């Protein structure tokens, strides 16, 4: 089974981070990312641009209406995503916990949400 993992952050907290703290955090990322990749269960991953580059789309009168910025009312935003393959929930937890947002960045709202993928319209 595949799982979509969404990595969250709080942009307000991240914006006020001291440069030295940001540098320390960024320097810790490659080792965490490598550990995740070494499981052989990572299908793919990516980072997302920030709120200024984001737009929303909702149906209005049968047509798409586009709005600037994230549409959802939330303090946290999705900053990245990755797809993993796992036999069950326990394995998905073990693999997803290797991502940096599972163990780093607590002070800036990092966290991960894991969604089992049901029906997939595009196959490998």
């Amino acid at each position: 089974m595949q799982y979509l993992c969404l990595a969250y952050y709080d942009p307000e907290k991240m914006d006020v981070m001291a440069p030295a703290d940001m540098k320390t955090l960024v320097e810790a990322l490659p080792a965490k990312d490598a550990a995740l990749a070494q499981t052989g269960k990572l299908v793919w991953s990516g980072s997302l641009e920030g709120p200024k580059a984001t737009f929303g789309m909702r149906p209005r009168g049968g047509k798409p209406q586009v709005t600037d910025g994230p549409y959802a009312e939330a303090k946290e935003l999705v900053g990245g995503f990755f797809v993993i393959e796992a036999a069950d929930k326990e394995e998905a937890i073990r693999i997803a916990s290797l991502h940096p947002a599972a163990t780093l960045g607590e002070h800036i709202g990092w966290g991960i949400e894991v969604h089992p993928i049901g029906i997939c319209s595009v196959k490998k």
Side-chain angles (χ1 to χ4, degrees), residues 9 11 47-57 66-71 77-78:
Y9 73 105
S47 295
L48 301 175
E49 294 291 327
K52 292 179 182 170
T54 303
F55 60 91
M57 189 179 302
V66 178
T67 58
D68 290 337
Y71 189 76
L77 294 175
V78 176

Side-chain angles (χ1 to χ4, degrees), residues 1-5 41-44 82-88 92 114-124:
M1 175 171 255
Q2 291 187 334
Y3 294 81
L4 171 64
C5 304
K41 300 288 187 165
L42 179 65
V43 176
W44 60 290
F82 56 106
V83 175
I84 58 174
E85 292 183 345
D88 53 32
V114 181
H115 297 262
I117 298 174
I119 299 171
C120 189
S121 61
V122 179
K123 299 283 183 182
K124 290 183 185 178

